[in-house]
Amino acid sequence: MQFLNSIIEIFIVELITFIIIIGQIKVENRVVNLENKAMSYLGKLSFGIYVYHPLIILVLSRFLTINEIYSSNELIYTFGIFILTILFTLLVSHLSYYKFEKNFLKLKHKFSVIKSTNDISDVH
């Protein structure tokens, strides 16, 4: 069943990726419009999602063993773990963005490079 779950998971990711890529080819008739509040919000959380998702998977796999919560239907169990992983990843990423990352983003303008108009190479 582990092998089947891996195939299903890979297929879901590939299908979503395919839909998004194909949907962006024609600008006027997009299949998936990424210009909305939900995608903007996920864009803000994307760094946290990238960083924390593997950690969430590790933590959940340590705490939620098959023997503890296993139901009679392994597919329902797998789907439940999948949903829990996504929810916890979004929660941790949200907290990280608004409590930690946002403070660093405010400092970004202090470290930007400003080109001087008195560049030596401009003098003739």
Side-chain angles (χ1 to χ4, degrees), residues 25-73:
I25 291 175
K26 279 191 154 187
V27 177
E28 61 274 354
N29 294 324
R30 292 182 180 173
V31 175
V32 177
N33 185 5
L34 298 177
E35 302 293 328
N36 58 51
K37 289 181 181 181
M39 291 311 239
S40 178
Y41 174 72
L42 286 176
K44 287 180 184 178
L45 302 185
S46 63
F47 178 75
I49 292 169
Y50 170 76
V51 171
Y52 297 120
H53 189 64
L55 179 64
I56 299 294
I57 292 172
L58 178 67
V59 169
L60 284 178
S61 69
R62 300 273 185 204
F63 288 110
L64 303 174
T65 62
I66 290 177
N67 296 331
E68 291 175 5
I69 316 177
Y70 184 75
S71 66
S72 60
N73 189 339

Side-chain angles (χ1 to χ4, degrees), residues 67-116:
N67 296 331
E68 291 175 5
I69 316 177
Y70 184 75
S71 66
S72 60
N73 189 339
E74 190 173 342
L75 186 61
I76 292 173
Y77 170 78
T78 303
F79 185 71
I81 296 299
F82 184 74
I83 295 300
L84 271 176
T85 302
I86 291 172
L87 290 176
F88 277 117
T89 300
L90 290 174
L91 176 66
V92 170
S93 299
H94 173 87
L95 293 173
S96 174
Y97 179 78
Y98 286 101
K99 299 294 182 187
F100 184 69
E101 296 170 40
K102 206 170 176 185
N103 295 327
F104 285 101
L105 290 172
K106 289 177 187 175
L107 298 174
K108 191 163 60 170
H109 73 278
K110 291 185 179 184
F111 297 99
S112 62
V113 177
I114 300 173
K115 292 206 172 210
S116 174

